[in-house]
Amino acid sequence: MQIIKTIKDINSQSIALKKEGKKIGFVPTMGALHAGHISLIRESNRQNDLTVCSIFVNPTQFNDPRDFEKYPVTLESDMQKLIAAKCDILFLPSVHEMYPQGMKNNSPIDFGYMAGTLEGEFRPGHFDGMAQIVEKLLLAVAPHHLYMGQKDYQQAMICKELIKKQKLKIKLVTCPIKREKDGLAMSSRNVRLDRASRRKAVEIVKTLRSIKRAMGRGAKDGGRLEIKDIERKAVERLAAFPEFQVEYVAIRDARTLKPIKKISATTHAVALIAARIGGVRLIDNMLL
Ligand code: PAF
Protein backbone atom coordinates (compact mmCIF):
# COMPACT_ATOMS: atom_id res chain seq x y z
CA MET A 1 0.00 0.00 0.00
CA GLN A 2 1.33 3.38 -1.02
CA ILE A 3 1.13 6.20 1.56
CA ILE A 4 0.68 9.73 0.22
CA LYS A 5 0.68 12.77 2.48
CA THR A 6 0.20 15.77 0.21
CA ILE A 7 -2.66 17.01 -1.94
CA LYS A 8 -0.28 17.69 -4.81
CA ASP A 9 0.98 14.09 -4.82
CA ILE A 10 -2.41 12.38 -4.47
CA ASN A 11 -3.85 14.61 -7.17
CA SER A 12 -1.07 14.00 -9.68
CA GLN A 13 -1.17 10.27 -8.94
CA SER A 14 -4.93 10.25 -9.54
CA ILE A 15 -4.59 12.15 -12.84
CA ALA A 16 -1.88 9.72 -14.00
CA LEU A 17 -4.00 6.68 -13.07
CA LYS A 18 -7.01 8.09 -14.88
CA LYS A 19 -4.87 8.66 -17.99
CA GLU A 20 -4.09 4.93 -17.89
CA GLY A 21 -7.85 4.32 -17.90
CA LYS A 22 -8.04 3.17 -14.27
CA LYS A 23 -11.24 3.54 -12.23
CA ILE A 24 -10.66 4.98 -8.76
CA GLY A 25 -12.81 4.36 -5.69
CA PHE A 26 -12.42 6.52 -2.58
CA VAL A 27 -13.26 5.76 1.06
CA PRO A 28 -12.83 8.81 3.36
CA THR A 29 -12.41 7.94 7.05
CA MET A 30 -11.26 9.41 10.33
CA GLY A 31 -9.40 6.18 11.18
CA ALA A 32 -10.17 3.82 14.09
CA LEU A 33 -11.18 1.46 11.33
CA HIS A 34 -13.65 -1.36 11.91
CA ALA A 35 -15.41 -3.96 9.76
CA GLY A 36 -17.84 -1.28 8.52
CA HIS A 37 -15.00 0.71 6.94
CA ILE A 38 -13.44 -2.46 5.58
CA SER A 39 -16.73 -3.38 3.88
CA LEU A 40 -16.51 -0.02 2.04
CA ILE A 41 -12.94 -0.79 0.93
CA ARG A 42 -14.03 -4.21 -0.32
CA GLU A 43 -17.00 -2.75 -2.23
CA SER A 44 -14.69 -0.16 -3.78
CA ASN A 45 -12.20 -2.88 -4.75
CA ARG A 46 -15.02 -4.80 -6.41
CA GLN A 47 -16.18 -1.83 -8.49
CA ASN A 48 -12.89 -0.08 -9.30
CA ASP A 49 -9.31 -0.78 -10.41
CA LEU A 50 -7.90 1.01 -7.38
CA THR A 51 -9.03 2.07 -3.93
CA VAL A 52 -7.84 5.16 -2.08
CA CYS A 53 -8.65 5.45 1.63
CA SER A 54 -8.03 8.65 3.57
CA ILE A 55 -7.46 8.88 7.31
CA PHE A 56 -7.90 12.39 8.62
CA VAL A 57 -9.48 13.30 11.95
CA ASN A 58 -11.13 16.49 10.81
CA PRO A 59 -11.13 19.12 13.60
CA THR A 60 -13.77 21.33 11.97
CA GLN A 61 -16.58 18.78 12.20
CA PHE A 62 -16.38 18.29 15.97
CA ASN A 63 -18.81 20.68 17.59
CA ASP A 64 -17.66 19.35 20.98
CA PRO A 65 -13.88 19.79 21.50
CA ARG A 66 -13.87 16.97 24.11
CA ASP A 67 -15.22 14.58 21.48
CA PHE A 68 -12.32 15.58 19.20
CA GLU A 69 -9.76 15.02 21.98
CA LYS A 70 -11.23 11.61 22.80
CA TYR A 71 -11.54 10.46 19.20
CA PRO A 72 -9.66 7.13 19.00
CA VAL A 73 -6.41 7.20 16.99
CA THR A 74 -5.16 3.73 15.99
CA LEU A 75 -2.98 4.38 12.94
CA GLU A 76 -0.76 1.27 13.14
CA SER A 77 -3.65 -1.18 13.33
CA ASP A 78 -5.61 0.85 10.73
CA MET A 79 -2.73 0.43 8.27
CA GLN A 80 -2.59 -3.34 8.91
CA LYS A 81 -6.33 -3.58 8.26
CA LEU A 82 -6.05 -1.56 5.05
CA ILE A 83 -3.19 -3.72 3.78
CA ALA A 84 -5.18 -6.88 4.58
CA ALA A 85 -8.20 -5.43 2.73
CA LYS A 86 -5.98 -4.67 -0.31
CA CYS A 87 -6.37 -0.91 -0.21
CA ASP A 88 -3.99 0.54 -2.83
CA ILE A 89 -3.32 4.04 -1.53
CA LEU A 90 -3.63 5.59 1.93
CA PHE A 91 -3.98 9.37 1.83
CA LEU A 92 -2.74 10.59 5.20
CA PRO A 93 -2.58 14.39 5.22
CA SER A 94 -1.75 16.66 8.16
CA VAL A 95 -4.08 19.36 9.49
CA HIS A 96 -1.84 22.01 7.92
CA GLU A 97 -2.01 20.22 4.55
CA MET A 98 -5.81 20.27 4.54
CA TYR A 99 -6.22 23.71 6.15
CA PRO A 100 -3.18 25.78 5.10
CA GLN A 101 -5.07 29.07 5.55
CA GLY A 102 -6.63 28.10 8.88
CA MET A 103 -9.89 26.36 9.60
CA LYS A 104 -12.40 29.13 9.08
CA ASN A 105 -14.98 28.21 6.46
CA ASN A 106 -15.55 31.43 4.56
CA SER A 107 -18.08 30.08 2.10
CA PRO A 108 -20.07 27.25 3.69
CA ILE A 109 -22.49 25.58 1.31
CA ASP A 110 -26.14 26.00 2.20
CA PHE A 111 -27.74 22.56 2.32
CA GLY A 112 -30.97 23.98 3.70
CA TYR A 113 -33.36 21.86 5.73
CA MET A 114 -31.41 18.64 5.17
CA ALA A 115 -28.43 19.92 7.19
CA GLY A 116 -30.40 21.84 9.82
CA THR A 117 -32.52 19.00 11.14
CA LEU A 118 -31.63 16.00 13.39
CA GLU A 119 -27.81 15.90 13.58
CA GLY A 120 -27.75 19.51 12.42
CA GLU A 121 -29.86 20.50 15.41
CA PHE A 122 -27.84 18.60 17.98
CA ARG A 123 -24.40 19.16 16.44
CA PRO A 124 -24.43 22.75 15.15
CA GLY A 125 -21.67 23.36 12.61
CA HIS A 126 -20.92 19.64 12.22
CA PHE A 127 -22.12 19.37 8.64
CA ASP A 128 -20.35 22.60 7.58
CA GLY A 129 -17.05 21.10 8.75
CA MET A 130 -17.84 17.69 7.30
CA ALA A 131 -18.82 19.07 3.88
CA GLN A 132 -15.80 21.40 3.91
CA ILE A 133 -13.36 18.49 4.35
CA VAL A 134 -15.19 16.05 2.06
CA GLU A 135 -15.09 18.60 -0.75
CA LYS A 136 -11.35 19.19 -0.21
CA LEU A 137 -10.74 15.43 -0.17
CA LEU A 138 -12.82 14.84 -3.30
CA LEU A 139 -10.98 17.59 -5.17
CA ALA A 140 -7.63 16.16 -4.07
CA VAL A 141 -8.34 12.48 -4.76
CA ALA A 142 -10.64 13.09 -7.76
CA PRO A 143 -12.15 9.58 -7.68
CA HIS A 144 -14.87 8.10 -9.91
CA HIS A 145 -16.77 6.66 -6.94
CA LEU A 146 -17.16 7.77 -3.34
CA TYR A 147 -18.08 5.11 -0.74
CA MET A 148 -19.95 5.98 2.44
CA GLY A 149 -21.86 3.97 5.01
CA GLN A 150 -25.62 4.18 5.53
CA LYS A 151 -24.88 4.40 9.27
CA ASP A 152 -24.28 8.16 8.78
CA TYR A 153 -27.50 8.49 6.81
CA GLN A 154 -27.76 12.28 6.90
CA GLN A 155 -24.05 12.68 6.12
CA ALA A 156 -24.40 10.52 3.01
CA MET A 157 -27.42 12.56 1.86
CA ILE A 158 -25.49 15.79 2.30
CA CYS A 159 -22.49 14.42 0.40
CA LYS A 160 -24.80 13.47 -2.48
CA GLU A 161 -26.08 17.05 -2.48
CA LEU A 162 -22.51 18.40 -2.23
CA ILE A 163 -21.50 16.44 -5.34
CA LYS A 164 -24.56 17.80 -7.16
CA LYS A 165 -24.12 21.40 -6.04
CA GLN A 166 -20.39 21.49 -6.83
CA LYS A 167 -20.95 19.65 -10.14
CA LEU A 168 -18.36 16.99 -9.33
CA LYS A 169 -18.18 14.01 -11.68
CA ILE A 170 -18.30 11.52 -8.83
CA LYS A 171 -20.90 8.87 -8.01
CA LEU A 172 -21.77 8.26 -4.38
CA VAL A 173 -22.20 4.62 -3.41
CA THR A 174 -23.93 4.16 -0.03
CA CYS A 175 -23.21 0.79 1.58
CA PRO A 176 -25.32 -1.07 4.18
CA ILE A 177 -24.72 -0.68 7.92
CA LYS A 178 -22.41 -3.31 9.41
CA ARG A 179 -23.60 -4.60 12.77
CA GLU A 180 -22.04 -6.47 15.66
CA LYS A 181 -23.44 -9.95 16.43
CA ASP A 182 -26.01 -8.50 18.84
CA GLY A 183 -27.09 -5.86 16.27
CA LEU A 184 -25.23 -2.76 17.52
CA ALA A 185 -24.19 -0.64 14.53
CA MET A 186 -20.41 -0.64 14.14
CA SER A 187 -18.85 2.71 14.97
CA SER A 188 -15.39 3.99 15.85
CA ARG A 189 -16.95 5.35 19.02
CA ASN A 190 -18.01 1.89 20.27
CA VAL A 191 -14.51 1.26 21.69
CA ARG A 192 -15.18 4.05 24.17
CA LEU A 193 -18.18 2.24 25.69
CA ASP A 194 -17.60 0.64 29.08
CA ARG A 195 -18.86 -2.95 29.51
CA ALA A 196 -22.23 -2.05 30.99
CA SER A 197 -22.92 0.64 28.36
CA ARG A 198 -21.82 -1.69 25.57
CA ARG A 199 -24.35 -4.31 26.74
CA LYS A 200 -27.16 -1.74 26.91
CA ALA A 201 -26.26 0.00 23.62
CA VAL A 202 -28.04 -2.78 21.69
CA GLU A 203 -31.36 -1.27 22.85
CA ILE A 204 -30.93 1.36 20.11
CA VAL A 205 -31.26 -1.16 17.28
CA LYS A 206 -33.97 -2.99 19.20
CA THR A 207 -35.92 0.29 19.29
CA LEU A 208 -35.42 0.73 15.55
CA ARG A 209 -36.77 -2.79 15.00
CA SER A 210 -39.79 -2.02 17.17
CA ILE A 211 -40.46 1.07 15.00
CA LYS A 212 -40.23 -1.05 11.85
CA ARG A 213 -42.76 -3.52 13.25
CA ALA A 214 -45.10 -0.71 14.30
CA MET A 215 -44.87 0.90 10.85
CA GLY A 216 -45.73 -2.45 9.28
CA ARG A 217 -48.80 -2.72 11.51
CA GLY A 218 -49.66 0.91 10.76
CA ALA A 219 -49.56 0.30 7.00
CA LYS A 220 -52.00 -2.60 7.44
CA ASP A 221 -54.54 -0.72 9.55
CA GLY A 222 -55.04 1.92 6.87
CA GLY A 223 -52.84 4.55 8.47
CA ARG A 224 -54.84 4.91 11.69
CA LEU A 225 -51.70 4.58 13.77
CA GLU A 226 -50.04 8.00 13.85
CA ILE A 227 -46.32 8.47 13.19
CA LYS A 228 -45.99 10.73 16.21
CA ASP A 229 -47.41 7.95 18.43
CA ILE A 230 -44.86 5.47 17.10
CA GLU A 231 -42.09 8.02 17.72
CA ARG A 232 -43.36 8.75 21.22
CA LYS A 233 -43.54 5.06 22.12
CA ALA A 234 -40.02 4.52 20.77
CA VAL A 235 -38.66 7.43 22.85
CA GLU A 236 -40.41 6.00 25.91
CA ARG A 237 -38.97 2.54 25.22
CA LEU A 238 -35.41 3.83 25.06
CA ALA A 239 -35.73 6.44 27.79
CA ALA A 240 -37.04 3.73 30.15
CA PHE A 241 -33.39 2.65 30.44
CA PRO A 242 -31.92 5.26 32.78
CA GLU A 243 -28.49 4.82 31.14
CA PHE A 244 -29.68 6.58 27.95
CA GLN A 245 -30.04 10.26 27.24
CA VAL A 246 -32.15 10.24 24.09
CA GLU A 247 -31.47 13.13 21.71
CA TYR A 248 -33.95 12.18 19.00
CA VAL A 249 -36.02 9.34 17.64
CA ALA A 250 -37.46 10.38 14.29
CA ILE A 251 -39.35 8.78 11.43
CA ARG A 252 -38.68 10.78 8.31
CA ASP A 253 -39.05 10.72 4.55
CA ALA A 254 -36.00 8.73 3.43
CA ARG A 255 -35.35 11.09 0.48
CA THR A 256 -35.80 14.50 2.10
CA LEU A 257 -35.62 13.84 5.87
CA LYS A 258 -38.84 15.82 6.24
CA PRO A 259 -41.44 14.59 8.74
CA ILE A 260 -44.06 12.22 7.35
CA LYS A 261 -47.71 12.71 8.20
CA LYS A 262 -49.33 9.43 7.27
CA ILE A 263 -48.21 5.83 7.01
CA SER A 264 -49.06 4.00 3.82
CA ALA A 265 -47.77 0.84 2.18
CA THR A 266 -45.75 3.01 -0.22
CA THR A 267 -44.22 5.29 2.43
CA HIS A 268 -40.48 5.48 1.81
CA ALA A 269 -39.31 6.17 5.34
CA VAL A 270 -36.28 5.94 7.57
CA ALA A 271 -36.14 5.83 11.37
CA LEU A 272 -33.17 7.61 12.95
CA ILE A 273 -31.96 7.63 16.55
CA ALA A 274 -29.27 9.55 18.41
CA ALA A 275 -28.67 8.80 22.07
CA ARG A 276 -25.88 9.13 24.61
CA ILE A 277 -24.83 6.32 26.87
CA GLY A 278 -21.86 6.25 29.26
CA GLY A 279 -20.61 9.58 27.83
CA VAL A 280 -20.61 8.27 24.25
CA ARG A 281 -22.93 9.59 21.56
CA LEU A 282 -24.30 6.87 19.28
CA ILE A 283 -26.41 7.14 16.13
CA ASP A 284 -28.20 4.48 14.12
CA ASN A 285 -30.96 4.23 11.53
CA MET A 286 -33.14 1.76 9.67
CA LEU A 287 -35.01 1.99 6.38
CA LEU A 288 -38.64 1.13 7.03
O1 PAF B 1 -17.74 9.68 8.46
C1 PAF B 1 -16.59 10.10 8.69
O2 PAF B 1 -15.70 9.36 9.13
C2 PAF B 1 -16.27 11.56 8.44
O3 PAF B 1 -17.38 12.36 8.67
C3 PAF B 1 -15.70 11.83 7.02
C4 PAF B 1 -16.72 11.53 5.94
C5 PAF B 1 -14.45 11.01 6.81
C6 PAF B 1 -15.32 13.32 6.90
O4 PAF B 1 -14.38 13.68 7.84
Side-chain angles (χ1 to χ4, degrees), residues 28-30 37 56 58 61 71 126 130 133-134 137 148 152 155:
T29 81
M30 298 204 298
H37 296 112
F56 180 69
N58 174 35
Q61 71 185 74
Y71 203 83
H126 165 66
M130 184 282 294
I133 197 65
V134 171
L137 290 168
M148 302 192 106
D152 293 288
Q155 165 170 283

Side-chain angles (χ1 to χ4, degrees), residues 111-121 127 130 150-159 161 227 231 248-261 268-273 283-288:
F111 294 102
Y113 179 83
M114 194 186 280
T117 186
L118 303 169
E119 289 298 285
E121 232 176 284
F127 286 131
M130 184 282 294
Q150 188 204 308
K151 155 100 180 352
D152 293 288
Y153 192 88
Q154 202 172 354
Q155 165 170 283
M157 282 183 83
I158 290 169
C159 287
E161 197 58 23
I227 298 259
E231 285 177 341
Y248 60 77
V249 175
I251 298 167
R252 298 287 176 93
D253 185 308
R255 284 159 295 208
T256 61
L257 288 185
K258 295 217 164 122
I260 305 172
K261 289 200 182 73
H268 190 44
V270 59
L272 308 105
I273 294 183
I283 58 169
D284 197 354
N285 67 80
M286 195 172 278
L287 289 165
L288 302 172

